[in-house]
Amino acid sequence: MSKKKAQGTNLLYQLIGEARNYDDVIIMGRGDPDFDTPAHIVAAAKNAMINHHADYSPPEGLLALREAIAERVKRVNNIDVDPATEVVVANGGQEALFLMVLAVLSPGDEMIVPEPNYNTYADSLAFAGGVKVEVQTYAENDFRADPADVAAAITDKSRALLLVSPNNPAASVISPPDMQAMLDIAISKDLMILADDIYDLFVYDDFEHVSPASLPGGKERALTLNALSKAYSMTGWRLGWIVGPADLMARVKELKAAISGGASIISQHAGIAALTGPQDAVEMMAEAYRRRRRLVLDALDAMGMKYGLPQGGQFVFADIGFTGMDSGEVAQRILTEQHVLAYPGSAFSKDRKDYLRMTFLQPEEQLIEGLERMKVAMRDMMAER
Amino acid sequence: MASQTKADILAQHETNAALKTPAPGQITRHAKDLGADGMLSPLDERIIAAASEALEAGQTHYVDVPGIAPLREAIAEYLNTSFSAPCQSSNIIVTAGLQESRFLTIQKIGETFDSIGIPDVVHPGVQKALGVRTRNVVSIAVDADRGYLPTLGAIADAVAGGCQLIYLESPSRLSGAAYTSDEVDAIGQLLGESGATVIWDQGLAPWVDGGCRSLASTEDAPAQVTTIGEAFPGMGLASWFIGYIAAPENQIPAMQSQKQIMAICTSTAAQYAALEASSLFPTAHPPRLARLRSAKSDATESAQELNLNVIAGDALNVIALRTSNDSAAKLRAAGFDCADGGDFGASEVIRLNINTTTADALQALR
Ligand SMILES: Cc1ncc(COP(=O)(O)O)c(C=O)c1O
């Protein structure tokens, strides 16, 4: 069967479509945890349907939820916020992301973006009429964004610096000294910071996550997003938030009202239960990702693949340059021949045709099976060369 | 040191009047709040059961961007039967409520046109959506004597002036007045002749006795009309925020892609709840309308006895009045809230929801 050569996101959608045709497919692509939402959170949602569906919520979210968020960002991220004025609830991290970009960037403004990065930032920036200025990072340095490169990318149109740590897809974590250096640059060049902490509970080995807003001078120039999606396996609930200084948050709040109004009351009550209830399920899931990460890295080592060490997050971004093939082609062959879906790097950036992104978001036995099948596909591809 | 960059951002924001347009509450705040867009109503146990069963069965993950397939089908079916609007599930995008429907249509369909025609009196959510990213707006005059609907002449003038995208509400979100079937035909004919495109907010149509003609039922509509509305209003889902967009197929990809960018998908709990609501709606809605019919006629009668100036409107869930400046204050003093017509562009109007306390609120206006 001859296939039209799709690229980027189109290719991704084509692969996802093809994957649906295979009963035995193993999906190692999508950033959706395999765990279902913990039962006590589902129970809280049901209770909300019975007892709280008539609760009034302003566009920025229920105060009780904003208080729980303020408590969480203080405890986990050491960011001090006033729940009354400095927290806005959003329909997932995705809407939070879109709101952050719109709140800060206007047509012609530049945002400095370490690459590779989560591609919705580029899409949101395009909507806002902003300009992406890329700072490249590489597998051999574990995708470290070098503050010196960031400083060198600044122009008189620079308005914001994007810091996604841990990063998707690169899985790098910005070290505390680098984060301090990034903030120093932002302060000296008067840039706003957009911080995405969505993977902050997934940090491995001795790496350490720090939120720029927790550092002196950080909060007044940073908007920080997070969501329940990844940490609590709540991707389907669409619940996230932004915290930041009251003056900028007033703008975020008005944008939220203009884009979608409030978040669903049921999801909000589920969110309160998630943040204030028992946290053992979160710990159990984080522990599972730690084990799975080891499995994946061992398998990649056995395949001779290079990768940036996943310091955090739920992915590994592996260099398949040694195959001499484009990642789209490799992903296509792994899918068609072995029914394993990994995302081609070209879906994240046109400059990342040599990479594949794999997730740790499937049960261990599936992950092992998927990696075995990948090994076979890679061996076959190499044998043809 | 204070940030100049931030000061610049805030200064830009200060001048964005559209984004700051005040608007009615999305849902009822308290028992005497008659001003909200979304009225709270009891939630059927079967909806609670269906939504919680879906969640318990693991429907807690991302789903398709435009919505779960059965809900898209149910909405298409509903639009076919209730509005004679020929559409299929591939024409439907499920949204996180009406404001998201407004935003996606205004911004993404709007992107492909030089300008957008907006009625001088319209729900303030429209101004808000426009405030996010400026579009070139052509104002369309309304007829105060026709419940503040734009006149057909004004629509035709805008189109003749080169404005090829028009935003319309029927019924009006302020007065509840709807275009007659003949007027809808005339607008449809104008579309046929001019090739213009319309975004048609029909969210209040389910509240019109005997139904309300949709522009999507006219001959040229399938290629030129996008409708938006709340999914199954009155079923207790106002605070869950669930709405729809029904668009010509060629307009779906851009909006779907934007929905992915700003939301990924709509909450699964709300979608499964709406799916169950779709099957209950045909039997649950008529008795509710019957109750509203008598409540609205009582309210209208007492308003007339009190010499209040009632604006004729077809939607049974609201009553709009032409009043003096201090009416809203009078209502507030008596503990009631109303929707302020000034937010819509008609400062002489207030809008009250119809429920058991509406009659008391009218007394406060005496
Ligand atoms: C870095 C990053 N930010 C934000 C999001 C949005 O997540 P959600 O909208 O599901 O909360 C994602 C999702 O993959 C992500 O990877």
Side-chain angles (χ1 to χ4, degrees), chain A residues 233-238 267, chain B residues 59-63 265-269:
Chain A
S233 272
M234 290 179 71
T235 50
W237 300 75
R238 315 311 307 132
S267 291
Chain B
Q59 293 295 347
T60 58
H61 298 268
Y62 292 126
V63 291
C265 59
T266 302
S267 130
T268 56

Side-chain angles (χ1 to χ4, degrees), chain A residues 131-384:
Chain A
V131 178
K132 181 170 78 155
V133 176
E134 299 184 355
V135 169
Q136 297 300 329
T137 68
Y138 302 96
E140 47 271 35
N141 302 326
D142 294 331
F143 298 105
R144 169 176 180 253
D146 188 335
D149 294 343
V150 167
I154 293 171
T155 74
D156 57 1
K157 295 210 171 68
S158 305
R159 197 172 236 193
L161 168 60
L162 174 65
L163 299 173
V164 181
S165 174
N167 178 276
N168 173 13
S172 50
V173 172
I174 301 175
S175 70
D178 278 357
M179 192 57 94
Q180 184 62 58
M182 296 289 191
L183 177 61
D184 292 345
I185 292 168
I187 292 173
S188 73
K189 299 292 179 183
D190 197 6
L191 305 183
M192 296 291 119
I193 291 177
L194 304 191
D196 184 333
D197 282 1
I198 198 167
Y199 298 106
D200 62 358
L201 294 185
F202 309 105
V203 177
Y204 307 110
D205 305 336
D206 293 330
F207 296 99
E208 200 185 321
H209 171 266
V210 52
S211 295
S214 69
L215 302 173
K219 185 188 151 187
E220 52 263 39
R221 60 179 63 245
L223 292 176
T224 306
L225 81 70
N226 212 320
L228 298 180
S229 311
K230 313 289 177 174
Y232 292 86
S233 272
M234 290 179 71
T235 50
W237 300 75
R238 315 311 307 132
L239 206 73
W241 66 80
I242 303 176
V243 298
D247 47 11
L248 275 180
M249 291 307 290
R251 182 178 165 94
V252 169
K253 194 157 72 174
E254 278 172 359
L255 284 162
K256 170 67 176 138
I259 284 165
S260 64
S264 163
I265 201 84
I266 306 302
S267 291
Q268 291 199 60
H269 279 285
I272 295 171
L275 290 171
T276 62
Q279 303 294 307
D280 30 320
V282 176
E283 195 31 56
M284 180 278 289
M285 293 188 280
E287 182 51 39
Y289 299 138
R290 256 175 247 138
R291 279 196 310 274
R292 296 169 181 183
R293 166 179 174 269
R294 205 55 266 162
L295 280 174
V296 174
L297 297 186
D298 290 347
L300 295 184
D301 289 342
M303 282 184 251
M305 278 199 204
K306 285 190 294 176
Y307 50 82
L309 182 72
Q311 302 167 339
Q314 301 176 327
F315 320 99
V316 56
F317 206 46
D319 186 342
I320 45 107
F322 70 96
T323 62
M325 290 162 72
D326 176 287
S327 65
E329 208 177 331
V330 173
Q332 179 71 65
R333 286 198 54 180
I334 296 174
L335 178 61
T336 311
E337 294 169 17
Q338 292 294 332
H339 298 182
V340 174
L341 176 63
Y343 281 11
S346 53
F348 297 90
S349 155
K350 61 180 183 343
D351 300 323
R352 302 293 166 161
K353 293 207 172 87
D354 291 348
Y355 289 85
L356 278 185
R357 189 191 80 173
M358 281 157 276
T359 66
F360 329 139
L361 302 173
Q362 40 297 100
E364 261 155 74
E365 37 321 341
Q366 266 192 48
L367 197 57
I368 293 168
E369 164 74 16
L371 290 162
E372 277 308 316
R373 291 198 216 163
M374 270 184 78
K375 262 186 224 171
V376 175
M378 297 301 283
R379 199 187 51 216
D380 291 351
M381 277 183 254
M382 294 311 287
E384 288 169 18

